[in-house]
Amino acid sequence: MLSIQHIYFDDHQSFDSFEFKNSDYFVLTVYLILGEDRGSSLFYFDVTNDYCPSSDNIIMKDYEVYCRKKAIFVMKNFDKYILLNFINALIKEESIDKNENEISNGLTKYFHWEFDNYVP
């Protein structure tokens, strides 16, 4: 199973040192490094708080994190620990009976991947 090796936010702030300054509206880019140091994968996505009931859908029942479309998630009230738990649960769900390549490919349904536009 892939696991989060590193998570950081817009200004390369680490997860532990990140302090969210609440505002009326925000868009926050989150970067994830998954896997072992060698051959790890970089994923990224945005989190916002402009909830829209007609376009935002819950993808995991236990979390107040909505998915608008690929790589755009909505949290009415941002909490970095809820976001981290959601990401870990999503990775765990996508890891069932899959190898690391299959997991990375499966996660591209939810996150942008560094190889999304790769053409050999």
Side-chain angles (χ1 to χ4, degrees):
M1 180 174 108
L2 287 178
S3 61
I4 296 174
Q5 298 301 318
H6 191 70
I7 182 171
Y8 58 97
F9 298 94
D10 279 328
D11 300 335
H12 296 282
Q13 290 182 329
S14 71
F15 182 84
D16 291 333
S17 67
F18 180 75
E19 295 275 337
F20 181 70
K21 293 170 181 59
N22 208 356
S23 64
D24 292 335
Y25 173 77
F26 69 86
V27 175
L28 179 66
T29 301
V30 181
Y31 300 90
L32 300 171
I33 298 176
L34 303 179
E36 301 303 318
D37 289 336
R38 186 175 223 175
S40 58
S41 293
L42 173 66
F43 293 90
Y44 56 98
F45 60 94
D46 290 332
V47 179
T48 185
N49 65 341
D50 67 334
Y51 176 72
C52 181
S54 63
S55 63
D56 300 338
N57 302 298
I58 287 277
I59 56 175
M60 299 190 81
K61 291 182 182 179
D62 295 338
Y63 300 93
E64 292 269 336
V65 180
Y66 302 84
C67 183
R68 177 162 300 153
K69 64 181 185 176
K70 179 180 176 171
I72 299 180
F73 293 92
V74 179
M75 296 180 76
K76 294 177 186 176
N77 299 302
F78 181 78
D79 181 308
K80 68 181 183 181
Y81 296 104
I82 291 173
L83 181 63
L84 178 63
N85 291 336
F86 166 77
I87 293 166
N88 280 321
L90 192 58
I91 292 168
K92 184 176 180 180
E93 185 176 284
E94 284 295 319
S95 297
I96 298 170
D97 297 327
K98 295 179 183 168
N99 65 38
E100 287 192 18
N101 287 336
E102 293 170 323
I103 296 167
S104 292
N105 286 328
L107 290 173
T108 63
K109 293 184 290 191
Y110 305 105
F111 309 130
H112 289 301
W113 187 25
E114 64 183 324
F115 297 117
D116 274 349
N117 299 314
Y118 176 73
V119 177

